[in-house]
Amino acid sequence: MPVLLFLIDTSASMNQRTHLGTTYLDIAKGAVETFMKLRGRDPASRGDRYMLVNFEDVPLGIKAGWKESHATFMTELRNLQATGLTTIGQSLRTAFDLLNLNRLVTGIDNYGQGRNPFFLEPSIIIAITDGNKLTSGSGVQDELHLPLTTPLPGSELTKEPFRWDQRLFSLVLRIPGHASVEPEPLGGVPPDDSAITPMCEVTGGRSYSVFSQRMLNQCLESLVQKIQSGVVINFEKSGPDPPPIEDAPPEVKSGPQPWHCCHKLIYVRPNPKTGVPIGHWPIPEAFWPDQNSPTLPPRSAHPHVHFSCLDAEPMVIDKVPFDKYELEPSPLTQYILERKSPHTCWQVFVCNSAKYSDLGQPFGYLKASTALNCVNLFVMPYNYPVLLPLLDDLIKVHKFKPTIKWRQSFENYLKSMPPYYIGSKIEYDRLIASIGKKPPPEPGIKVRWRGGGAISLAQRRDFNQLLQSITGESASLPQELSSKEFQGFHLALLNKTLKPQSLRNPYDIPRSQLLDQLSRMRRNLLHAGVCSLRGQDPDQLHSVPIAQMGNYQDFLKAAPQPLRDPDPEQPKRLHTFGNPFKLDKKGMMIDEADEFVTGPQNKGKRPQGESSPMQGGGPKRRRCMSPLLRLGRAYTPPVTPPASPRPTGGHWETPVPHPRKQAQFQVSMAPPLAFTLPNVDFSNTLWFNKSLHQ
């Protein structure tokens, strides 16, 4: 369930207007709504949780937290006003404390027991600010400072205020007040040089310097793609560089390279069946746990993993599980893929994780995929080069009957292994149950066995006769019903929001619900035929308060999980409002009658001959449905009989119709013929033409 926290700058400088006519605060509100629409296209957004924090003091600055609904989030977003100072340091600390509120209770950080990448709560903070000077009650600040003191318990166990599954991205609005004459630069959006940029880079995020509305939309689309389930790790090179590969140009560069130290994300994919990440082995702590120490040493938010560039052979045994995580593209992954060695690996270590070694023992390795399209981090048991051969001998050589020598070797290995590896599986099951990942039992009405004798057949016959006299039907119930057979069963409820009513005393019914309860009982009694008894009114299933009618987010969360796509390689149809099967209008042409004609137009038709009237290269005309208005055939209006001549000035004159009236007659006659002719049998076209001239 990703957590998306929006940190909106509500300082007075956000009231400045751009050349678009809107203020920075209006642009920030619109950016949040646009981001939610873009995110809503992904089916994985069903479990998203949105939070809203502004630059006010605590607790007024928390507008929407863990308990607020989506409707409250939208209402608070629209009601934001820019009237305060630019206290971004205090607001960032408030945002981190809000995200870390429940982590100590759920045990997701697993302090002193190793770092489990599959115990995560991916969170993204999106800060929207104008990048002006940092102001507070004490004056103007040049650098960003986060308060070190916090009332949150357990915060002293981590050196930084953030965690390894939390990243900060900032949108710094630089839209000018006057429209720029220079064209916008093409390519990616550059990072900003404001005080929040170093904080974004430390958490594994970045900043965007926005100069136009187009760049803002581009940044929002990029942020939607950044919503990934994963944790941030520091990878550092230990030891000498690897030898150059064959048929490669010699490297002239000396000194530290970009791939020597990378600060990137590893993707933690959820299990497609359960939707929850599943793992087996932790990343070791950077200290050897002391049973006599009263406190735990604080650890850094991002673990420092060292890798050795000496080629090693990847080791895997069928009976021993391992965890596999894909690395985010970085200079390190590019360097490993360029070597084109998918059958070798580089071992990874955590300093001070062993008892008698500074570098520690290997707990996994980095390896390029067979297709050379990504680099994976394999997490194995601690000091796996010693453990895996022992287990292999136990399975293949000793046939699960260890010898004394094997037991001594295995005991020596256990002494060199951190003690928290022994109970990792037990801790995993306990934390899964405490976090609440397992689905709770379905609510319902429990069937209980009251005892005290069964209903006699005579009483049952009397009831059937009474019911038949009222409704004309008889209850289709078995003559012998054993209630013990259904002991422990739960009757499912159609609407889970309604509580089951187990009212045995009429005086327990509230006065305001007497009429509803009476009508429900009457309906169940009169319709207790073949169908089963209903404990809920069908009208109640669709009774929603007006204030909750637009709350689609809660409805999507309560909806059942959609089925997996049988063919994941097929392109997904994007959700569109209205008709999802409407065609794209880009490949269509519109003629004079405003009708869509889908191209290509000449598909499946014979090529035009020499006698075609379209040979001149003129525009193609639409085929007319009327046989009288086809190309090459002029329309002849009906001929009226000549009028009787009348004498004028001593001679006879035949009246001639006025040319304008004749034109009006021709125009007025054509549309009705073109409208009614599609329903005419064209085999009688010759008779139809003759009848018009008669």
Side-chain angles (χ1 to χ4, degrees):
M1 179 185 292
V3 179
L4 304 174
L5 191 149
F6 290 93
L7 180 61
I8 308 298
D9 186 356
T10 54
S11 60
S13 59
M14 292 291 286
N15 287 321
Q16 57 181 322
R17 292 189 176 274
T18 65
H19 68 275
L20 303 175
T22 56
T23 63
Y24 276 2
L25 185 60
D26 295 334
I27 294 178
K29 295 179 181 179
V32 175
E33 296 180 357
T34 304
F35 177 87
M36 297 175 65
K37 292 178 182 178
L38 295 175
R39 174 60 179 167
R41 298 176 181 176
D42 190 357
S45 63
R46 296 160 51 93
D48 292 352
R49 177 180 292 275
Y50 290 95
M51 298 184 182
L52 183 63
V53 177
N54 66 349
F55 280 13
E56 297 183 53
D57 295 335
V58 181
L60 298 178
I62 303 176
K63 299 301 181 181
W66 290 99
K67 298 181 179 180
E68 283 73 19
S69 62
H70 181 74
T72 305
F73 174 87
M74 296 303 298
T75 303
E76 295 293 339
L77 177 65
R78 298 187 184 99
N79 295 336
L80 289 180
Q81 296 181 359
T83 56
L85 300 175
T86 312
T87 57
I88 191 171
Q90 178 64 40
S91 302
L92 271 178
R93 183 72 197 203
T94 302
F96 286 127
D97 290 346
L98 179 62
L99 294 176
N100 302 329
L101 186 61
N102 302 320
R103 295 180 72 96
L104 187 63
V105 179
T106 58
I108 194 172
D109 288 321
N110 204 27
Y111 289 108
Q113 301 293 324
R115 303 171 185 258
N116 296 315
F118 43 90
F119 289 162
L120 79 166
E121 192 174 53
S123 306
I124 289 183
I125 300 178
I126 302 177
I128 306 179
T129 178
D130 57 355
N132 286 344
K133 292 291 185 179
L134 307 180
T135 58
S136 62
S138 58
V140 180
Q141 303 174 358
D142 296 332
E143 297 180 354
L144 178 63
H145 297 281
L146 271 69
L148 299 178
T149 58
T150 175
L152 194 65
S155 60
E156 68 277 0
L157 297 177
T158 306
K159 299 178 182 179
E160 295 86 357
F162 52 87
R163 303 296 182 264
W164 66 340
D165 53 358
Q166 300 169 359
R167 291 177 293 164
L168 172 63
F169 296 88
S170 64
L171 298 175
V172 184
L173 303 179
R174 303 290 187 183
I175 303 177
H178 299 279
S180 177
V181 183
E182 300 179 358
E184 298 181 6
L186 300 177
V189 181
D192 197 77
D193 56 353
S194 57
I196 197 175
T197 300
M199 191 66 188
C200 296
E201 296 176 352
V202 167
T203 59
R206 59 157 297 183
S207 64
Y208 299 89
S209 187
V210 181
F211 291 95
S212 64
Q213 185 67 33
R214 183 193 64 83
M215 296 179 67
L216 179 60
N217 296 334
Q218 184 179 353
C219 296
L220 294 176
E221 293 178 357
S222 175
L223 286 176
V224 171
Q225 302 297 327
K226 297 289 185 182
I227 304 178
Q228 299 287 344
S229 178
V231 294
V232 180
I233 295 180
N234 285 319
F235 291 96
E236 299 179 4
K237 183 184 73 69
S238 177
D241 289 350
I245 59 178
E246 299 179 359
D247 300 336
E251 297 184 0
V252 185
K253 298 181 180 179
S254 61
Q257 303 296 327
W259 61 272
H260 287 177
C261 182
C262 288
H263 185 73
K264 289 297 180 179
L265 190 77
I266 63 170
Y267 301 119
V268 182
R269 308 294 186 186
N271 189 4
K273 295 182 179 180
T274 61
V276 179
I278 295 180
H280 305 87
W281 308 108
I283 297 177
E285 299 279 0
F287 58 88
W288 183 265
D290 186 5
Q291 302 292 339
N292 300 324
S293 177
T295 59
L296 288 173
R299 66 185 184 188
S300 58
H302 301 151
H304 294 268
V305 175
H306 296 260
F307 60 90
S308 174
C309 297
L310 299 177
D311 292 340
E313 182 180 357
M315 303 176 64
V316 173
I317 295 181
D318 295 338
K319 302 296 183 179
V320 179
F322 62 89
D323 300 332
K324 180 180 177 181
Y325 306 104
E326 180 184 349
L327 270 68
E328 185 182 13
S330 63
L332 175 60
T333 60
Q334 182 180 358
Y335 182 80
I336 295 178
L337 293 176
E338 288 177 352
R339 294 181 62 83
K340 298 181 180 180
S341 301
H343 302 293
T344 59
C345 63
W346 290 352
Q347 293 179 347
V348 290
F349 309 83
V350 172
C351 290
N352 302 321
S353 60
K355 192 173 184 179
Y356 302 108
S357 176
D358 295 336
L359 183 61
Q361 303 297 333
F363 69 92
Y365 51 83
L366 294 173
K367 178 182 174 297
S369 61
T370 307
L372 295 176
N373 53 6
C374 64
V375 177
N376 298 316
L377 170 65
F378 288 82
V379 179
M380 309 289 291
Y382 193 78
N383 199 5
Y384 71 94
V386 176
L387 175 63
L388 294 186
L390 287 175
L391 296 180
D392 193 31
D393 292 343
L394 178 65
I395 297 173
K396 296 181 180 180
V397 178
H398 303 294
K399 305 298 181 181
F400 294 98
K401 295 180 181 180
T403 60
I404 299 177
K405 183 178 180 181
W406 188 93
R407 289 179 180 274
Q408 293 177 353
S409 301
F410 189 71
E411 289 178 358
N412 294 332
Y413 165 76
L414 293 180
K415 293 179 182 179
S416 64
M417 182 186 65
Y420 50 79
Y421 270 84
I422 300 177
S424 60
K425 187 63 180 174
I426 302 175
E427 187 71 12
Y428 167 74
D429 295 335
R430 186 188 67 81
L431 286 177
I432 283 294
S434 64
I435 293 174
K437 296 296 184 180
K438 293 183 178 180
E442 294 289 338
I445 304 175
K446 187 176 182 180
V447 179
R448 298 180 180 177
W449 169 242
R450 300 288 183 181
I455 302 176
S456 63
L457 296 178
Q459 295 176 352
R460 187 172 297 170
R461 291 193 187 97
D462 295 341
F463 173 75
N464 292 339
Q465 293 175 2
L466 178 62
L467 184 62
Q468 188 174 5
S469 63
I470 297 176
T471 63
E473 300 177 354
S474 60
S476 58
L477 298 176
Q479 295 295 327
E480 296 182 1
L481 182 64
S482 177
S483 300
K484 293 184 179 180
E485 183 180 357
F486 304 98
Q487 186 175 3
F489 277 46
H490 285 262
L491 301 180
L493 296 177
L494 297 179
N495 190 356
K496 299 178 182 179
T497 59
L498 297 179
K499 297 181 179 180
Q501 299 178 359
S502 58
L503 304 176
R504 304 185 63 187
N505 193 338
Y507 295 98
D508 293 340
I509 304 175
R511 184 181 182 88
S512 59
Q513 301 179 6
L514 279 175
L515 295 179
D516 295 339
Q517 185 69 19
L518 184 60
S519 61
R520 190 179 300 109
M521 294 171 62
R522 184 184 296 110
R523 184 182 300 105
N524 289 334
L525 176 63
L526 298 181
H527 295 82
V530 181
C531 62
S532 60
L533 298 180
R534 292 180 302 220
Q536 298 176 6
D537 194 349
D539 295 338
Q540 293 182 353
L541 301 178
H542 307 284
S543 298
V544 180
I546 297 178
Q548 298 293 331
M549 286 184 177
N551 194 357
Y552 299 108
Q553 296 292 331
D554 295 344
F555 173 78
L556 292 177
K557 293 178 182 178
Q561 188 72 15
L563 298 178
R564 178 178 57 85
D565 192 1
D567 192 0
E569 297 181 357
Q570 292 291 334
K572 297 180 180 180
R573 181 183 294 273
L574 296 179
H575 176 70
T576 55
F577 184 79
N579 183 12
F581 301 100
K582 60 183 179 181
L583 299 176
D584 190 6
K585 300 181 181 180
K586 295 181 180 179
M588 297 185 177
M589 297 179 294
I590 303 177
D591 64 354
E592 300 152 351
D594 293 336
E595 296 181 359
F596 290 103
V597 182
T598 308
Q601 300 294 322
N602 56 353
K603 183 177 181 180
K605 297 182 180 180
R606 61 181 178 84
Q608 299 173 357
E610 297 179 357
S611 60
S612 175
M614 304 298 293
Q615 192 174 2
K620 184 176 181 180
R621 296 182 59 185
R622 185 166 53 93
R623 179 179 178 271
C624 182
M625 299 299 298
S626 173
L628 301 180
L629 300 179
R630 293 181 181 176
L631 295 175
R633 181 181 299 176
Y635 170 70
T636 305
V639 180
T640 56
S644 302
R646 59 171 180 256
T648 303
H651 63 276
W652 297 91
E653 181 181 358
T654 302
V656 179
H658 196 275
R660 180 178 299 177
K661 293 182 179 180
Q662 186 175 3
Q664 293 177 356
F665 170 75
Q666 293 179 3
V667 173
S668 62
M669 285 297 293
L673 289 175
F675 181 78
T676 58
L677 277 179
N679 297 327
V680 178
D681 187 6
F682 293 112
S683 61
N684 300 326
T685 305
L686 182 60
W687 172 85
F688 187 81
N689 292 336
K690 291 181 180 180
S691 62
L692 288 176
H693 293 281
Q694 290 178 358

